Amino acid sequence: MKWLEPQPIDIPEQLEAAVAGHPLVAQALARRGVRSAEDALAFLDAAHYRPTSPFELPDMRLAVERLQAAIGAGEGILVWGDFDVDGLTATALLVEALRELGAEPHWYIPDRRTESHGVHWNSLQRFLGRGVRVLLTCDTGISAHQEVALARKAGLDVLITDHHDLPPRIPRAHAVVNPKRLSKEHPLRHLSGAGVAYELAEALGASERGLDLVALGLVADVVSMRGEVRYLVQRGLRLLRKAERIGLQALLEVAETDASALDEDHISYLLAPRVNALGRLSDASAAVELFTTQDVVRARTIAAQMEALNVRRQFLSRQVTAAAEGQVASDPALTSGPVLVLSHAEWPGSVLGIAASRLAERYHKPAVLIATPPGEAARGSARSVPGIDIHAALAAHRDLLTRFGGHPMAAGFSLPGDCIPELRRALAKTVAESIGELLPERELPIESYFSLPQLRLDLADELARLAPFGVDNPPPYLATMRLRVAESRTIGRTAEHRRLEVQDEEGHGAEVLWWQAADLPLPEGLFDLAYVLRVSEFRGERRLQLEWVDGRWAEEPAVELVAAAVAPAVADYRALPSPFPVLQALWDASTMQIWAEAVSLTGFPARVRSQLQPARALIVWTAPPSSVIWQRVLEHVRPEHVYLFAVDPQIDRLDAFLRRLGGLVKHALSTQSGRLEWSEMAAAMAHRVEAVQTGVHWLAAKGQVSLVAEEDGAAILEGGGVADADEERTVRRQLQDLLAETAAYRQYFRAAESHVLFAA
């Protein structure tokens, strides 16, 4: 995996002011293209988002008018769904909304094992004698040309709500509500089936109670977490955390999940797999009953069934994955092409997609698994990787397939078993033509570098403001350099995951979770770690947790650094009017450290004086506050090369100094119980300890804080105090003198001959 190092990015002042909190949040928003204060507030808080009218969806008004007429006339309505989480939640949502509006709808979920996705005429005919006049599909139907024609001939008005990619022509239904008919920039474009169902329910005038279901469906279907999708998931998660729906209460109980802390990861990894297990191994219709029942006993019975099936699903998916890996091991040539196509007669079709996902991730190429039961059509599931549209690749060979559908990252299909070799060759050719000779290299954009001591709960809480995460809104990927594994153990019901204790070279430690890694080798020696920073809660205790994303070998210094009295080689860039481009050209994360204090050096892992480590090269971005601090840094880092920029941090004026100091003290009062470490504060202020101590005494003299205790190296503060005007004037003069001394030294440092700065 190629790490994309943080690059400088301009952050508008209005964006920083609107976002507030940790500057990394504003930086991450800017990288996501969110640059105005209005857009940032709408991104972070659903209360600031302006929702889009559901009537902007094509044919929405036609669908609403027909359903209203059917409800008013007492006509029968059949809601036809699908057996995955998106289709099941969409079905339950529409059934519930129609009941609320006075209808008594029928509903039907196809049997995955015998019918597969889509509308099936044989099953539909059963409802013709029950007074059904309207067929309402959800999460399906966009390719059901023949079935729609037959339904119309039988006297049904067909209303299609779907979100899958459009075929060359759409069915001749009464209404086709599909967000893919909108422009690519439209905020409703990326709705899933449950999302479209919710928009229809809203347009009909139903209540918002279905928001919990729409959040389940949207997250489970892995759609773009921007625009209307993000807004709906934010609101739906709030409703899910209340867990007022009886069926969800039962589902959370068997998943042993606390509703109050529910997030998108809980949906993806705990709730959605259990709901999907019904459709994979049994009758998925029970999920619609679970979501709509008012019977606690029935809800718990269905949830228990889900749990048992989910355990079975996990066992089968592990079996298929292991068997597929066995095929690759016995014939490595299978992985030589741009797409991996494997088949077996005894593979259960219900879990092929899960196994294909794991293989696609492991081999970083599309994986296609096909079940070939004797005497039956072969059925396959395909999963892809970013940059390769597997649905389009299959569509290019639709002549080989009897049925197919999906989207760029996932697809399902069926075909005659004797066509598999031809499909393997055809897909390899098509994918190779679309990407060239090489598979697209996986890229990992690093948001920022941190040392382990810099990782705190308040930082994790700040980054969590960017959630919910998903497609087009990944979590910020952080990185820490030069770690080693101190301890490892496997965890999980089947010991498929790892829990690591990592340590840096100073002995600071952190806990790392590495999912699906039990059979992967541990890094030996020093390595750099990319991770997602999260907060885990257990029995009321909150603690930091790093989730492994990627690791790479740490480069060892080419030569051992010794404290020889030899001046380093110096490159002087102090006179540059625009230093950022030079910094970008110079930067080499494997050999360099950047010393910068009290400035926002976006895109670069700058360190303050206490974080610097011995290194071959030191970039001095800000001018140091004193000769003593400068010499201490040189003695500690012992660089062979120094790159002098010596930018003025603009922190030596009294107003700027006090403004920044006040912000840091306020932060300490709210997150650190008022404890100040003088050396840390001095580094954060780009000043000497004496100046920071005097500044805090000035705040106390102003009555803004009280100095409760002062010990060697630290102080304890409380908010508020008693003002003393005489003391304030005295301390103010002392502080002005200290700031003037530092300003004079910085001016000297920026102007002196470079060799003079390194004289002993």
Side-chain angles (χ1 to χ4, degrees):
M1 190 178 297
K2 180 182 179 181
W3 290 21
L4 302 180
E5 301 298 335
Q7 299 298 313
I9 185 169
D10 174 54
I11 303 175
E13 290 185 7
Q14 60 174 5
L15 177 64
E16 279 193 296
V19 172
H22 198 285
L24 203 58
V25 177
Q27 174 181 304
L29 287 172
R31 292 195 194 285
R32 286 157 172 75
V34 180
R35 301 188 62 82
S36 73
E38 181 181 5
D39 289 346
L41 292 173
F43 188 96
L44 296 173
D45 186 352
H48 292 276
Y49 183 86
R50 296 179 182 176
T52 309
S53 168
F55 289 101
E56 291 193 26
L57 283 165
D59 289 359
M60 178 62 84
R61 195 167 296 280
L62 286 173
V64 168
E65 290 173 351
R66 184 63 186 91
L67 287 170
Q68 288 175 335
I71 294 170
E75 295 176 326
I77 302 171
L78 171 61
V79 180
W80 188 289
D82 195 31
F83 44 70
D84 64 7
V85 178
D86 191 33
L88 293 168
T89 52
T91 304
L93 195 156
L94 286 176
V95 167
E96 192 172 69
L98 290 169
R99 286 175 177 170
E100 178 186 332
L101 297 170
E104 288 296 332
H106 305 276
W107 53 270
Y108 184 77
I109 302 295
D111 189 318
R112 181 177 199 142
R113 299 161 295 178
T114 60
E115 294 180 298
S116 189
H117 298 277
V119 180
H120 305 282
W121 177 243
N122 288 339
S123 298
L124 179 57
Q125 290 181 85
R126 301 181 216 160
F127 295 90
L128 296 181
R130 304 183 192 179
V132 171
R133 298 298 305 277
V134 177
L135 171 62
L136 172 60
T137 77
C138 46
D139 194 36
T140 192
I142 196 60
S143 298
H145 295 87
Q146 182 179 357
E147 292 78 5
V148 169
L150 290 170
R152 291 179 62 206
K153 189 175 180 179
L156 300 182
D157 285 332
V158 182
L159 312 177
I160 294 174
T161 72
D162 199 353
H163 74 109
H164 292 97
D165 290 349
L166 302 176
R169 61 184 181 86
I170 61 177
R172 296 181 60 188
H174 184 85
V176 178
V177 184
N178 188 318
K180 292 297 193 300
R181 299 177 68 187
L182 298 167
S183 68
K184 291 184 178 180
E185 296 75 27
H186 198 283
L188 298 176
R189 164 84 180 190
H190 297 291
L191 291 173
S192 72
V196 178
Y198 179 79
E199 296 294 328
L200 174 57
E202 182 182 31
L204 285 167
S207 66
E208 298 180 344
R209 61 184 301 193
L211 275 169
D212 53 355
L213 296 179
V214 78
L216 276 175
L218 286 167
V219 172
D221 217 55
V222 197
V223 292
S224 175
M225 199 59 65
R226 302 294 289 268
E228 210 81 6
V229 170
R230 179 180 176 82
Y231 165 72
L232 291 173
V233 172
Q234 285 173 317
R235 297 180 64 205
L237 282 171
R238 291 175 187 169
L239 201 58
L240 278 169
R241 288 167 188 149
K242 296 179 182 178
E244 296 176 347
R245 189 179 296 271
I246 289 173
L248 286 174
Q249 292 173 6
L251 183 57
L252 290 166
E253 284 176 9
V254 297
E256 299 179 353
T257 303
D258 178 14
S260 64
L262 199 70
D263 62 20
E264 66 277 11
D265 277 350
H266 291 102
I267 293 176
S268 296
Y269 300 112
L270 294 176
L271 303 186
R274 286 169 166 82
V275 177
N276 270 330
L278 272 176
R280 295 186 186 280
L281 301 173
S282 184
D283 180 7
S285 299
V288 179
E289 185 181 356
L290 176 74
F291 293 141
T292 56
T293 186
Q294 297 300 312
D295 186 333
V296 175
V297 174
R298 180 59 182 153
R300 288 177 174 169
T301 301
I302 297 172
Q305 179 189 7
M306 281 184 174
E307 183 66 13
L309 290 171
N310 187 52
V311 172
R312 174 70 176 163
R313 187 269 310 169
Q314 291 172 324
F315 172 74
L316 291 174
S317 61
R318 285 195 299 271
Q319 276 194 324
V320 172
T321 303
E325 292 277 17
Q327 289 189 23
V328 171
S330 61
D331 185 5
L334 290 169
T335 64
S336 61
V339 58
L340 180 65
V341 180
L342 305 173
S343 63
H344 197 283
E346 297 181 4
W347 283 346
S350 59
V351 297
L352 293 182
I354 300 170
S357 292
R358 292 181 179 175
L359 294 170
E361 182 177 355
R362 176 158 298 189
Y363 293 102
H364 185 51
K365 62 178 63 181
V368 181
L369 299 187
I370 306 172
T372 58
E376 300 181 25
R379 294 171 56 189
S381 284
R383 296 295 184 269
S384 194
V385 295
I388 300 178
D389 187 336
I390 195 62
H391 181 264
L394 285 166
H397 307 289
R398 65 178 74 235
D399 57 309
L400 298 175
L401 310 175
T402 55
R403 196 181 191 98
F404 83 100
H407 52 79
M409 292 295 289
F413 61 91
S414 59
L415 79 167
D418 56 5
C419 290
I420 292 175
E422 187 176 354
L423 179 66
R424 179 183 285 111
R425 291 190 295 270
L427 284 178
K429 185 172 185 282
T430 300
V431 171
E433 289 173 349
S434 71
I435 63 174
E437 295 183 2
L438 298 175
L439 284 165
E441 185 176 10
R442 287 183 292 177
E443 295 181 338
L444 182 65
I446 302 300
E447 194 73 48
S448 186
Y449 284 85
F450 284 84
S451 66
L452 292 185
Q454 288 179 299
L455 302 177
R456 296 181 177 178
L457 286 170
D458 58 335
L459 173 62
D461 288 335
E462 282 286 297
L463 295 179
R465 297 170 63 195
L466 298 164
F469 300 117
V471 177
D472 295 328
N473 183 44
Y477 299 121
L478 309 182
T480 299
M481 299 173 66
R482 303 182 69 77
L483 301 174
R484 68 175 70 251
V485 176
E487 182 183 338
S488 171
R489 69 178 187 273
T490 56
I491 59 173
R493 290 183 178 179
T494 57
E496 68 270 39
H497 312 301
R498 286 189 186 273
R499 188 189 302 276
L500 308 178
E501 176 71 22
V502 299
Q503 290 183 349
D504 62 18
E505 293 177 289
E506 287 72 50
H508 302 111
E511 180 183 272
V512 179
L513 287 185
W514 192 3
W515 305 114
Q516 302 295 332
D519 59 344
L520 298 179
L522 289 171
E524 297 180 4
L526 293 174
F527 70 102
D528 301 336
L529 176 64
Y531 53 88
V532 175
L533 186 66
R534 301 191 188 276
V535 176
S536 68
E537 295 194 30
F538 183 69
R539 294 178 180 174
E541 180 185 357
R542 304 176 78 242
R543 61 181 184 181
L544 281 178
Q545 183 173 281
L546 283 59
E547 288 187 7
W548 179 295
V549 176
D550 191 35
R552 67 181 184 187
W553 298 116
E555 292 190 16
E556 297 288 351
V559 295
E560 183 180 357
L561 296 174
V562 296
V566 177
V570 179
D572 192 350
Y573 300 109
R574 290 177 292 173
L576 289 177
S578 301
F580 273 105
V582 176
L583 176 63
Q584 186 171 348
L586 283 174
W587 173 241
D588 178 1
S590 65
T591 62
M592 293 180 172
Q593 288 182 96
I594 303 176
W595 181 24
E597 297 180 344
V599 295
S600 177
L601 198 55
T602 305
F604 291 93
R607 303 184 180 192
V608 298
R609 67 196 74 155
S610 59
Q611 298 164 346
L612 295 172
Q613 302 298 327
R616 294 183 60 189
L618 176 66
I619 295 175
V620 182
W621 183 255
T622 49
S626 73
S627 61
V628 172
I629 292 172
W630 169 235
Q631 291 301 322
R632 285 176 181 169
V633 165
L634 285 180
E635 291 170 4
H636 178 62
V637 177
R638 296 173 290 176
E640 296 176 5
H641 302 275
V642 173
Y643 301 89
L644 282 179
F645 289 88
V647 172
D648 186 349
Q650 302 292 327
I651 196 70
D652 299 336
R653 298 190 318 274
L654 184 64
D655 58 342
F657 179 92
L658 292 175
R659 185 165 54 250
R660 182 174 180 83
L661 179 66
L664 291 173
V665 167
K666 183 178 180 181
H667 178 77
L669 288 170
S670 62
T671 65
Q672 298 166 205
S673 301
R675 182 178 177 83
L676 298 181
E677 299 288 342
W678 292 126
S679 59
E680 289 185 10
M681 284 288 287
M685 291 292 299
H687 267 278
R688 294 173 288 170
V689 168
E690 298 93 325
V692 173
Q693 290 174 326
T694 305
V696 170
H697 282 284
W698 180 85
L699 292 174
K702 287 284 290 182
Q704 297 180 12
V705 298
S706 296
L707 199 57
V708 177
E710 193 168 2
E711 54 193 56
D712 186 24
I716 305 296
L717 305 182
E718 288 182 353
V722 179
D724 186 330
D726 292 337
E727 179 69 9
E728 186 273 331
R729 284 191 292 270
T730 300
V731 176
R732 182 188 184 93
R733 285 194 296 270
Q734 293 172 351
L735 180 57
Q736 286 175 321
D737 290 342
L738 289 168
L739 297 181
E741 289 177 15
T742 295
Y745 179 75
R746 286 199 226 269
Q747 185 177 5
Y748 160 76
F749 192 91
R750 288 174 50 78
E753 294 289 336
S754 61
H755 69 274
V756 175
L757 299 176
F758 294 87

